[in-house]
């Protein structure tokens, strides 16, 4: 990074007391954020871990979590990009209101999100009868679990992509246009490519949020092994039956998420 | 075959209102100070800024007529923008091939054309580099190659040298001359740099505050600049006034009432005129000159600059004057700020032409 | 002056409750000083963890118990029995545990004095009031969406056993749309009309929006009831006060309140 010399000079200029305070706060933050993860790992019953993990329900839940989180990333990308584009590139009255509204699912209490989804897409929801006549049923289905995960995770995609779009020099798009590029080619080769890190961050955040999603899913889609019981739901059920299994599953979830996050934003995390 | 422009563009702070034509073969250079509307003009030509009214025609095709407009991508204009605007995440080769791909060339053919232009500009070795990793001179060549690879009808170069450091300029200026000479379409260069303008131009278009103040060959403008910017461009003293003549002599009277004697002229009495005198034609002295110079003004020194072995003296003596004298003369005069000084020049050195 | 002190908040973790109580006590002292009154007597707290289905009944018991035991404050945390048992196993501080089934009490047996059953409850099948389902057998029809508590939830475990006893489980199982982590989840799915039928406690069905649900009882002879055990924790802050509360629940006044709320005698 070109800025490194400047930023390190700035940090060296900080007076000692400020450095001590910042260092102490950083240490506290690290303890708060990292210690629970380590503690969870320490509590896991490693001696018979394999036997516990290879119970049929566990692998079902893992597979389902993969399907649901990946599908909701794809869906979030397909739906979040147009919204991010409208927010970043169009000026119209009510844009800030629209931004607030589409980001709202981030702050919904878990169950409220699920009830909201039921109110909209449940069989007695606003779209319920329309969807029924089309033969679509979301509650208690994997599709419903995907919708729930997308509902809560798509805002992360929108936020990332919007800031990414804003950071692209729009004159690059002008330059591409003078070189004969069509709108689609500009979108594909200049905009999407220019999104780079923002796209990676958006995918990572969305995927992580979808993977850990619990409240909206249990409320909207219920919990059915192999259909809607994702890893977090399985962990929640197991914790009251066998804490060891639950912790092990939790560790699996965390380790899996960490691996994917590292792979997606390796440059950012390892720099 | 030509570029014909007659446009009005409304910007928040000013209006660009200009008409000109560029013929094939000639290198037309639009020169003007910062804020004169050069970038707006480029943007309007490329179809990136809407017109308030007017027409742009290229080789008989109407690109813009009032509000109806041909999309930027269909204009066949190759623009090299002031800050190049290379696509930072692509390689040099991908940048240069971009236009050909956009026009529907296969990856292979586009790549071949891109290589051809990179070689032509002497940067074939850069093909695999990231565009964001280039130096200013390299980026400028890549931008040029990118525009040329599309084989446009009109090549627009916006400040092609200004982003480069001094050492890189002569080499690129030579290359630019070569490329422009062999380019078959219409050529338009935009610059704020007088030297670059004079060096490249077959024809100069002087843009001032949104309008074309003067069009002409560099030589014609050198001899008869119209307006303060054109005068400073060619480095002469320019005075606005009105011609007053009687039986014995001709005078140029400025708005402040200063009178300049000129040699005989065939312009009519009361003609609004420009009068110019070259800085080297001006004599300086501490005492009132006893020479045959017909024009003499008392004033004081405002600035003294060393310039290429000459000394440039700016004075305030009625109008503002710039004189160029030898260092020896400057030493003899012992010039410092506010030194009282006499400015004088012969009536025959004052060129007078109608406004 | 007691009334100046706001009613204690329900806090799941005993440690936090103590701190909160401390803050309240200080606030109470300050209020008393400001008004020129005597200091309130020191207050003792009984921390009770109770199954979610006991909420209404235990809140009524708290109100009946506290006037008889001055300076004692009953603080109840309600949650699914399985959640409470897990919290206790993870070290949560409490004085009394009232579980909705013996399995969850069994998980914490090592932490408790001998439990005693204080009530029983039984499960019922619930449907929306306008449902066409009129019998338990109707749950086996293809396409009926049945919502149960998960295996770890007492009501869910008992429901499975009961269906099995009726030899209906094999044909109902394919209809299971969801295994909810608690009875509230089952109730909500039926109330919102997403599920066609669910299984909850009779007391839950009675409490939930009257008129919107219909309850179908299991036939006589099918074991569909659950015993509610209560026990004092071994590390109770005062086993004397904790035992007083348990005796109150098991005794005449407590039993009367439980009956009012639909619970049956153990």
């Amino acid at each position: 990074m070109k800025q490194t010399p400047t930023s390190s000079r700035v940090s060296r200029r900080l007076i000692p007391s400020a450095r001590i305070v910042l260092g102490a706060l950083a240490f506290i933050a690290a303890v708060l954020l990292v210690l629970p993860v380590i503690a969870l790992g320490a509590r896991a019953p490693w001696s018979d871990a394999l036997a516990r993990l290879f119970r049929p329900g566990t692998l079902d839940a893992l597979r389902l979590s993969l399907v649901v989180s990946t599908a909701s990333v794809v869906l979030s990308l397909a739906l979040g990009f147009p919204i991010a584009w409208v927010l970043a590139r169009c000026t119209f009255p009510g844009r800030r209101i629209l931004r607030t509204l589409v980001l709202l699912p981030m702050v919904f209490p878990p169950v409220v999100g699920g009830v909201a989804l039921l109110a909209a897409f449940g069989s007695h929801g606003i779209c319920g009868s329309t969807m029924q006549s089309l033969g679509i049923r979301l509650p208690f289905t994997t599709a419903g679990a995907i919708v729930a995960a997308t509902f809560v995770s798509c805002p992360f995609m929108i936020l990332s992509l919007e800031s990414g779009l804003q950071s692209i020099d729009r004159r690059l798009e002008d330059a591409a246009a003078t070189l004969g590029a069509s709108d689609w080619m500009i979108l594909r080769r200049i905009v999407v490519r220019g999104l780079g890190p923002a796209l990676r961050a958006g995918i990572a955040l969305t995927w992580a949020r979808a993977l850990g999603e619990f409240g909206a899913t249990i409320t909207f889609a219920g919990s059915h092994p192999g259909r809607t019981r994702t890893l977090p739901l399985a962990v929640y059920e197991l914790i009251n039956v066998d804490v060891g299994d639950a912790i092990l599953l939790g560790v699996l979830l965390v380790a899996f998420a960490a691996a994917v996050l590292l792979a997606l934003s390796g440059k950012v995390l390892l720099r | 075959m030509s570029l014909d422009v007659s446009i009005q563009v409304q910007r928040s702070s000013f209006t660009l209102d200009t008409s000109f034509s560029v013929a094939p073969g000639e290198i037309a250079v639009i020169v003007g100070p910062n804020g004169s509307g050069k970038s707006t003009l480029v943007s309007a030509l490329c179809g990136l800024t809407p017109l308030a009214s007017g027409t742009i025609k290229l080789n008989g095709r109407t690109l813009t007529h009032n509000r109806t407009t041909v999309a930027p991508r269909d204009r066949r204009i190759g623009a090299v923008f002031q800050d190049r605007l290379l696509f930072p995440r692509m390689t040099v080769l991908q940048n240069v091939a971009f236009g050909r791909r956009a026009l529907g060339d296969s990856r292979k053919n586009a790549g071949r054309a891109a290589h051809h232009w990179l070689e032509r500009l002497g940067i074939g070795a850069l093909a695999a580099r990231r565009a964001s990793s280039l130096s200013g001179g390299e980026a400028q060549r890549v931008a040029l190659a990118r525009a040329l690879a599309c084989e446009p009808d009109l090549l627009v170069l916006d400040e092609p040298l200004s982003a480069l450091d001094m050492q890189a300029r002569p080499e690129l200026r030579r290359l630019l001359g070569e490329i422009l000479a062999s380019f078959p379409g219409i050529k338009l260069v935009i610059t704020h740099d007088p030297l670059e303008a004079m060096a490249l131009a077959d024809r100069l278009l002087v843009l001032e505050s949104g309008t074309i103040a003067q069009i002409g060959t560099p030589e014609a403008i050198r001899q008869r600049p119209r307006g303060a910017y054109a005068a400073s461009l060619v480095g002469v003293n320019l005075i606005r006034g009105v011609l007053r003549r009687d039986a014995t002599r001709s005078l140029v009277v400025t708005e402040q009432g200063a009178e300049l004697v000129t040699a005989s002229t065939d312009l009519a009495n009361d003609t609004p005129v420009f009068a110019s005198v070259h800085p080297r034609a001006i004599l300086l002295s501490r005492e009132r000159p006893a020479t045959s110079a017909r024009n003499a003004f008392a004033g004081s020194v405002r600035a003294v600059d060393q310039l290429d072995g000459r000394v440039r003296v700016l004075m305030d003596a009625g109008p503002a004057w710039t004189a160029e004298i030898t260092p020896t003369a400057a030493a003899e005069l012992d010039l410092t700020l506010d030194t009282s000084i006499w400015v004088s020049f012969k009536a025959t050195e004052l060129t007078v032409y109608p406004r | 002056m007691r009334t100046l002190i706001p009613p204690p908040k329900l806090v799941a973790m005993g440690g936090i409750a103590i701190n909160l109580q401390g803050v309240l006590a200080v606030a109470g002292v300050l209020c008393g000083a400001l008004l020129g009154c005597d200091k309130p007597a020191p207050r003792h707290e009984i921390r009770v963890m109770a199954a979610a289905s006991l909420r209404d009944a235990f809140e009524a018991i708290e109100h009946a118990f506290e006037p008889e035991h001055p300076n004692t404050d009953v603080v109840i945390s309600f949650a699914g029995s399985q959640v409470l048992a897990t919290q206790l196993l993870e070290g949560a501080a409490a004085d009394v545990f009232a579980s909705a089934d013996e399995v969850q009490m069994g998980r914490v047996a090592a932490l408790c004095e001998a439990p005693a059953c204080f009530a029983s409850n039984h499960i019922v099948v619930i449907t929306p009031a306008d449902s066409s389902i009129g019998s338990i057998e109707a749950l086996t029809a293809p396409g009926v969406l049945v919502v149960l508590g998960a295996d770890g939830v007492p009501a869910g475990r008992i429901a499975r056993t009961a269906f099995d006893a009726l030899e209906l489980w094999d044909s109902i199982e394919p209809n299971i749309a969801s295994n909810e982590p608690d009875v509230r989840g089952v109730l909500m799915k039926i109330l919102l009309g997403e599920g066609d039928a669910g299984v909850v406690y009779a007391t839950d069905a009675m409490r939930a929006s009257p008129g919107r649900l219909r309850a179908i009882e299991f036939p006589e002879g099918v074991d569909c009831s659950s015993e509610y055990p209560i026990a004092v924790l071994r590390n109770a802050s005062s086993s004397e006060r904790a035992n007083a509360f348990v005796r109150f629940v098991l005794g005449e006044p407590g039993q009367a309140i439980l009956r009012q709320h639909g619970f049956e005698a153990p």
Side-chain angles (χ1 to χ4, degrees), chain A residues 2 169 171-183 185-186 189-190 193-197, chain B residues 46 48 72-73 77 79 81 83 85-90 94 98-99 101-103 132 146-147 150:
Chain A
K2 276 176 189 158
D169 187 348
R171 293 174 313 154
L172 289 177
E173 294 165 47
D174 287 345
T178 66
L179 290 167
S182 66
D183 289 353
M185 184 172 173
I186 293 173
R189 296 205 50 195
I190 309 297
R193 244 176 124 164
L195 279 173
Chain B
C46 293
L48 303 171
R73 67 188 174 106
I77 295 178
F81 295 96
D83 27 17
L85 299 178
L86 295 182
F87 307 131
R89 294 179 184 280
M90 297 185 195
Q94 285 171 327
F98 185 91
R101 294 284 287 150
L103 295 173
S132 52
R146 187 175 70 172
C150 294

Side-chain angles (χ1 to χ4, degrees), chain A residues 43 111 115 118 122-125 137 139-140 214 218-225 227-228 236-237 239-241 243 247, chain C residues 82-84 86 89-90 104 107 145 147 150-152 173-174 176-182 188-189 192-196:
Chain A
R43 184 73 75 83
V111 179
V115 173
L118 283 174
S123 47
H124 296 273
R137 187 170 60 90
F140 308 130
F214 173 77
I218 185 73
T219 311
F220 183 58
S223 168
H224 189 284
R227 209 187 290 157
T228 62
Y236 190 75
E237 271 180 34
I239 201 139
N240 302 310
V241 180
V243 179
I247 290 175
Chain C
Q82 71 282 9
V83 175
L84 296 173
T86 302
L89 288 172
E90 291 297 315
Q104 297 305 330
R107 284 176 66 202
L145 297 172
V147 181
D151 268 333
E173 193 179 11
I176 303 293
S178 178
N179 304 285
E180 296 292 319
D182 52 38
M188 192 183 72
K189 294 282 192 301
L192 291 173
E194 294 304 335
D196 297 324

